[in-house]
Amino acid sequence: MRMHIDWTRCDGRGLCIELLPELLTRDDWGYPVGRGGSEIAIPQNLESAAHDARALCPTQALSLHG
Ligand code: SF4
């Protein structure tokens, strides 16, 4: 499973970074980016947290694929 961030929707407050600190960090402007680059692969042990982040994102900027 992979996560996609739609930065055109994101408000940059960072809730998803707090929920998935293992996978996400802030860029220079405070927006979330994958720690490993633009491909954000979700390991099985973080799938539940990824679903929570997607559901709780206030602007529906997160989507999960695969
Ligand atoms: S929770 Fe959503 S709006 Fe907030 S920083 Fe993450 S992607 Fe952006």
Side-chain angles (χ1 to χ4, degrees):
M1 182 183 291
R2 294 179 193 283
M3 174 172 279
H4 174 73
I5 303 170
D6 180 351
W7 287 284
T8 66
R9 289 175 174 259
C10 174
D11 67 9
R13 294 196 185 180
L15 175 63
C16 57
I17 301 168
E18 292 174 22
L19 292 172
L20 288 169
E22 302 92 339
L23 296 180
L24 301 176
T25 186
R26 290 178 190 276
D27 69 9
D28 291 345
W29 297 272
Y31 287 87
V33 291
R35 288 188 180 276
S38 57
E39 284 283 312
I40 305 170
I42 314 287
Q44 239 175 3
N45 65 320
L46 293 177
E47 284 187 2
S48 175
H51 281 289
D52 287 348
R54 184 192 58 76
L56 292 171
C57 172
T59 63
Q60 293 161 354
L62 301 176
S63 55
L64 298 171
H65 305 273

